[in-house]
Amino acid sequence: MQTECNGARLNELGKTLYYQSYQATERQRSYFPRSHCAYIDDSGSHKQGPAFVMGGLVAGWSEWARFSEEWREVLEEKPRLAYFKLKEALRREGQFGRLSPKQRDGRCDRLFSILKRTAVFGVTVSVAWDSLKIPLQLFPKIPLTPYQLLVVGLMGRVTSELARMKLSPRIMFVFDDHREGSRLERALDDLLPNVPEAPRKPVMGISHMDDREILPLQAADAVAWIARRLASEANDHHPDMSKWKPTQPYLQQLRGIPFMSSHYNDERLRSLYEMYFAAMKEKEKRVITRNDPAFSASVAFSRRHTTGTK
């Protein structure tokens, strides 16, 4: 991924890679370079609760393509489900309003069984809305939105975990952001120039897609929704999936997936904003200095005397 790629171009690149993988045959997929894809959704962005959460799941390209085929087969069972949404399943409303409790439990159990076989690991990042008040007041000029904060935190957590597990670092990120796709593109345009080359290099693409079409995003929606509920119940609003004890039998399947969790508490947020502020001031200082006529004149004088020219 090159620095000059903007958010819109990265989005188109990511979609191209996705559809090439999805449309390939099982034999063709075996020739793909070993790489991974993270499907991500967010919950609480409009302050529905005390925390803003981003959550998702990581697996290989071929595994996700197989997942989509199996997930769709379960959705197509009678009575057919147009899509899966955990909130509707738990409340037996929407798509699940036509199913009996027994039918609901069986369908969810089969879906989460597929997910458990597929995912290498899950990830959540979160921040409490109250924790953001102080850094936003202290550093009002820093153009770092809560959404950007979680995007960067999640991408860093995923790439570091792949390295720790000694898996291929090549990764594509797909966000469920179809209603506000430009939000992701703006975040990338603002952030990419400030991200070092090392963490950017493994990223193959970053896209936003619709969870009604891209089935792994339905699983990511479930993770984000669960994480926000856990954040609401925790005193520190940190949704620690490793401590989650679901009461529904079909949700026990998710307990078999290892989850990595990052939470921006007050101390970590302040440190992050201070670092970002220092970097921004240093960048401004360099720009002002290089545009200063006196600075340009001194550079020219120095060059004349070091090269012997007049």
Side-chain angles (χ1 to χ4, degrees), residues 11-12 45 49 81 207 219-220 257 273 306:
N11 178 44
E12 291 306 313
S45 60
L81 301 175
S207 294
I257 301 173
Y273 271 80
T306 55

Side-chain angles (χ1 to χ4, degrees), residues 246-266:
T247 57
Q248 296 82 0
Y250 51 85
L251 287 180
Q252 294 289 342
Q253 303 270 12
L254 294 181
R255 293 280 295 157
I257 301 173
F259 271 89
M260 314 303 145
S261 177
S262 293
H263 182 68
Y264 287 94
N265 57 24
D266 295 355

Side-chain angles (χ1 to χ4, degrees), residues 8-26:
R9 288 178 64 190
L10 282 171
N11 178 44
E12 291 306 313
L13 172 62
K15 287 183 177 180
T16 299
L17 289 169
Y18 171 82
Y19 287 114
Q20 285 178 348
S21 172
Y22 189 81
Q23 294 168 2
T25 65
E26 189 70 25

Side-chain angles (χ1 to χ4, degrees), residues 300-310:
F301 177 83
S302 175
R303 285 176 178 170
R304 282 200 303 271
H305 282 269
T306 55
T307 60
T309 60
K310 295 184 180 180

Side-chain angles (χ1 to χ4, degrees), residues 107-128:
R107 193 78 65 97
C108 288
D109 189 65
R110 289 191 291 280
L111 288 171
F112 286 120
S113 175
I114 296 168
L115 181 58
K116 180 183 177 182
R117 293 197 307 268
T118 302
V120 177
F121 63 88
V123 60
T124 66
V125 291
S126 57
V127 62

Side-chain angles (χ1 to χ4, degrees), residues 24-294:
T25 65
E26 189 70 25
R27 183 177 179 181
Q28 288 171 330
R29 289 171 194 157
S30 66
Y31 294 104
F32 284 5
R34 185 62 186 168
S35 55
H36 296 85
C37 187
Y39 289 94
I40 311 299
D41 199 2
D42 63 83
S43 185
S45 60
H46 300 294
K47 300 188 178 181
Q48 314 99 301
F52 181 24
V53 174
M54 212 169 259
L57 299 139
V58 179
W61 279 103
S62 298
E63 287 74 18
W64 277 130
R66 194 177 302 112
F67 165 93
S68 297
E69 293 166 357
E70 295 180 12
W71 188 274
R72 189 180 300 281
E73 287 177 1
V74 176
L75 292 182
E76 292 292 337
E77 294 176 8
K78 294 182 179 182
R80 179 181 177 275
L81 301 175
Y83 59 85
F84 173 79
K85 210 165 190 64
L86 179 59
K87 181 172 68 173
E88 293 184 5
L90 291 170
R91 299 172 181 174
R92 286 184 57 231
E93 61 184 22
Q95 291 293 300
F96 283 85
R98 299 166 295 158
L99 276 66
S100 68
K102 184 177 180 180
Q103 288 175 315
R104 182 268 316 272
D105 292 356
R107 193 78 65 97
C108 288
D109 189 65
R110 289 191 291 280
L111 288 171
F112 286 120
S113 175
I114 296 168
L115 181 58
K116 180 183 177 182
R117 293 197 307 268
T118 302
V120 177
F121 63 88
V123 60
T124 66
V125 291
S126 57
V127 62
W129 288 111
D130 286 344
S131 297
L132 282 166
K133 292 179 180 177
I134 294 177
L136 289 176
Q137 291 172 355
L138 292 176
F139 308 103
K141 294 184 179 180
I142 293 182
L144 186 62
T145 67
Y147 184 81
Q148 291 172 328
L149 175 74
L150 295 192
V151 167
V152 172
L154 185 139
M155 291 175 64
R157 192 71 178 90
V158 168
T159 54
S160 64
E161 185 61 20
L162 287 173
R164 188 193 69 81
M165 297 176 72
K166 297 183 179 179
L167 298 173
S168 169
R170 292 163 61 85
I171 180 80
M172 175 178 160
F173 291 90
V174 178
F175 292 81
D176 180 16
D177 203 19
H178 59 283
R179 292 180 298 276
E180 301 178 81
S182 59
R183 177 177 62 162
L184 177 61
E185 292 172 7
R186 288 196 304 271
L188 295 175
D189 289 339
D190 292 340
L191 294 171
L192 283 178
N194 300 311
V195 177
E197 177 67 20
R200 282 192 290 113
K201 193 173 182 181
V203 180
M204 302 166 63
I206 306 170
S207 294
H208 57 84
M209 297 185 185
D210 187 342
D211 63 355
R212 300 294 174 90
E213 179 184 4
I214 309 303
L215 301 183
L217 286 172
Q218 296 179 13
D221 172 83
V223 169
W225 190 81
I226 291 169
R228 183 168 66 84
R229 292 291 298 271
L230 291 176
S232 299
E233 297 167 2
N235 292 331
D236 59 356
H237 304 313
H238 177 192
D240 189 347
M241 296 286 284
S242 66
K243 297 179 181 179
W244 177 47
K245 296 179 180 179
T247 57
Q248 296 82 0
Y250 51 85
L251 287 180
Q252 294 289 342
Q253 303 270 12
L254 294 181
R255 293 280 295 157
I257 301 173
F259 271 89
M260 314 303 145
S261 177
S262 293
H263 182 68
Y264 287 94
N265 57 24
D266 295 355
E267 182 180 350
R268 189 178 176 193
L269 270 177
R270 184 174 184 124
S271 175
L272 177 68
Y273 271 80
E274 287 175 347
M275 182 178 66
Y276 201 103
F277 182 74
M280 188 175 70
K281 296 298 290 184
E282 180 62 26
K283 186 176 180 180
E284 288 177 354
K285 182 179 178 182
R286 289 199 304 269
V287 171
I288 293 172
T289 304
R290 292 184 181 280
N291 290 335
D292 189 335

